[in-house]
Amino acid sequence: MPASTGADALAAVDVRCRGSIAAPRVEIPKADGGRRPLGIPTVADRIAQEVARRYLEPYLEPVFHTDSYGYRPGRSAIDAVRRARQRCWRYDWVLDIDVKGYFDSIDWELLLKAVRHHTNCAWVLLYIERWLKAPADGGQQRRAAHSRNAAGWGH
């Protein structure tokens, strides 16, 4: 998708041009009895996210590992389970990784640096940065950039 097409589409739905608007949040129950906040994107956000996805996907899809199934075109959780079943018959070990809270602790500048490695498209970078810094419901920023420890991880 040419940058002008994406930029034009975003301009038509850009309600955040003067700053970030707090996304409504609800808390959903977790298996361990806790609760997890879940942001509810606005229609404009969903449209903008889809435009950015369509722009970035052709650049990023080729760099994903073949065993990556989450949010990939033409791949599903069922495909991942099918592959795991095939491997269960060939290997006698399992590696289980829990990425609990990972997005809350990822270094935003490092993430933006990785995106910049694949595109220099100004509107894409602008929107990704806005989404990262969008305040939670109530106007509080999800995580201040300075709330990281020396290793770059959130508290």
Side-chain angles (χ1 to χ4, degrees):
M1 169 184 295
S4 62
T5 303
D8 292 344
L10 287 176
V13 296
D14 188 8
V15 296
R16 292 184 172 208
C17 62
R18 285 170 289 289
S20 296
I21 296 172
R25 296 205 182 255
V26 296
E27 291 200 355
I28 59 173
K30 292 172 36 176
D32 67 1
R35 301 186 72 71
R36 181 173 73 86
L38 178 66
I40 310 296
T42 64
V43 171
D45 279 337
R46 293 290 299 157
I47 292 169
Q49 290 164 7
E50 179 64 13
V51 171
R53 182 196 64 80
R54 288 183 184 195
Y55 176 84
L56 285 171
E57 194 169 81
Y59 300 107
L60 297 177
E61 184 59 27
V63 299
F64 276 93
H65 192 278
T66 57
D67 284 340
S68 176
Y69 289 90
Y71 304 101
R72 301 273 306 279
R75 293 173 180 241
S76 68
I78 293 170
D79 296 327
V81 170
R82 182 180 303 116
R83 186 72 170 144
R85 282 186 172 166
Q86 292 168 348
R87 291 193 173 147
C88 284
W89 294 107
R90 292 191 314 194
Y91 303 103
D92 61 355
W93 55 272
V94 173
L95 177 62
D96 182 22
I97 299 173
D98 184 359
V99 292
K100 176 182 174 185
Y102 179 71
F103 190 77
D104 294 334
S105 64
I106 192 169
D107 184 325
W108 291 348
E109 289 307 316
L110 186 60
L111 176 63
L112 287 167
K113 182 179 178 182
V115 174
R116 283 186 198 102
H117 178 76
H118 296 282
T119 186
N120 63 359
C121 183
W123 65 264
V124 170
L125 297 169
L126 175 69
Y127 269 80
I128 290 173
E129 186 169 0
R130 285 180 181 173
W131 292 322
L132 288 170
K133 295 178 178 179
D137 197 8
Q140 300 280 331
Q141 188 174 0
R142 280 197 323 252
R143 178 178 51 111
H146 64 274
S147 71
R148 286 174 257 169
N149 62 26
W153 299 100
H155 296 273

